[in-house]
Amino acid sequence: APPTASPAPALIDTNAYLGRWPFRRTALDTGEALRDKLRQHQVGEAWVGHLDALLHKNLSAVNARLVEECQTLDPTLFRPVGAVHPGLPGWREDLRRCVEEHGMRAIRLHPNYHGYALDDPAAVDLLRSAAEHDLLVQIPVILEEERTLHPLVTVPPVDTAPLGGLVADIPGLRVQLLNAFRTLRGLALASLAGRGIHFDIAMLEGMEGVANLIRQIPAEQVCFGSYAPVFYYESNLLKLRESVLSEEHALAVRSGNARSLLG
């Protein structure tokens, strides 16, 4: 009999959230539902922020709640990713708690919802502090397509133009852009990839999308991300299945790149 192929390593989902999207209900907006869906698809680890971080001002409480929920649901499956807002006076303490009290390896910034630019002085200070603490910085470029935004909450995409220079100027800064591909493409994408910035595939569209992407940027800078619970989970799994990838590239996107990204 031919040898049996070894099973693929468990999937690492680098872009997920706990909590409810503020403007509508979604199918996986309870922690138990999301946990069961991740287990169903053999996800070994999910990097999760909390959707309360978008509109709540007390991010310290949001981060503490996120950690508690991860511990209650499945501490081996959920990796909490704390939110920090450099426009708030207590952001340094929030960052300290993420590192020292919660043991986080990554933080997630929401500049468009929190109302600052990436090159604002406070944001630059935060990026420097994150690099000093050896934290991965995740930045969702958009969270909802502009056509479906609530009319009272019109949130523009994050302006990523300053990011290339910031990564070059701040030693050790590691950045992953999430939900980037509705607005970022062509020379702008190539320029940021050339600075070593990583990306997830949650908003990647088109046939053979993943295969086409790694023809434009290095395959080792592409990670799986579902953007659950806002997006339908199986749609992003399909992106891996319908692209013709080498075994090396498939394993890298599924989990290897994420492991390397966290060091």
Side-chain angles (χ1 to χ4, degrees):
T4 302
S6 58
L11 195 66
I12 296 180
D13 187 345
T14 64
N15 179 10
Y17 284 88
L18 291 172
R20 290 182 177 178
W21 180 243
F23 307 107
R24 68 176 184 274
R25 294 297 303 270
T26 61
L28 302 177
D29 63 6
T30 68
E32 293 77 11
L34 179 59
R35 178 195 60 200
D36 294 346
K37 178 65 69 173
L38 295 171
R39 289 174 175 174
Q40 174 189 344
H41 292 297
Q42 289 78 53
V43 176
E45 184 172 301
W47 303 356
V48 289
H50 205 293
L51 287 169
D52 286 354
L54 301 182
L55 300 178
H56 289 212
K57 288 187 175 181
N58 187 349
L59 293 186
S60 178
V62 172
N63 292 335
R65 187 160 62 250
L66 170 65
V67 171
E68 182 180 358
E69 290 182 23
C70 289
Q71 289 291 325
T72 300
L73 290 166
D74 187 340
T76 65
L77 175 61
F78 291 107
R79 178 185 290 275
V81 179
V84 182
H85 180 350
L88 297 178
W91 73 261
R92 295 181 189 277
E93 176 63 12
D94 288 341
L95 185 67
R96 185 198 67 79
R97 288 176 177 171
C98 286
V99 175
E100 297 180 8
E101 296 182 13
H102 303 317
M104 293 176 178
R105 301 285 303 282
I107 58 173
R108 195 169 288 179
L109 309 185
H110 300 94
N112 48 354
Y113 274 81
H114 292 163
Y116 63 89
L118 289 173
D119 54 359
D120 285 352
V124 175
D125 284 347
L126 171 54
L127 294 174
R128 291 189 187 278
S129 296
E132 291 168 1
H133 286 93
D134 196 28
L135 290 169
L136 168 66
V137 178
Q138 295 187 311
I139 306 173
V141 177
I142 67 173
L143 290 175
E144 185 166 14
E145 186 181 338
E146 60 276 7
R147 293 175 296 179
T148 60
L149 285 168
H150 191 284
L152 296 180
V153 188
T154 302
V155 183
V158 174
D159 180 8
T160 58
L163 199 51
L166 291 170
V167 171
D169 292 341
I170 301 175
L173 178 60
R174 291 175 292 127
V175 174
Q176 183 188 21
L177 291 179
L178 309 177
N179 302 344
F181 296 121
R182 278 198 58 79
T183 59
L184 190 63
R185 54 181 64 88
L187 292 177
L189 171 61
S191 176
L192 292 178
R195 295 294 189 181
I197 292 171
H198 286 63
F199 305 86
D200 86 313
I201 66 169
M203 289 195 178
L204 186 63
E205 297 181 351
M207 294 296 294
E208 287 278 321
V210 179
N212 289 331
L213 179 63
I214 63 178
R215 295 186 188 105
Q216 303 173 58
I217 67 175
E220 60 267 21
Q221 290 168 233
V222 180
C223 300
F224 177 80
S226 68
Y227 191 32
V230 182
F231 279 7
Y232 186 66
Y233 208 90
E234 284 75 8
S235 67
N236 284 287
L237 293 172
L238 182 61
K239 295 173 186 178
L240 294 180
R241 295 171 185 160
E242 62 90 29
S243 279
V244 179
L245 303 175
S246 68
E247 182 178 2
E248 177 185 5
H249 287 165
L251 294 177
V253 174
R254 286 181 58 87
S255 60
N257 295 339
R259 295 188 188 282
S260 298
L261 189 55
L262 279 189

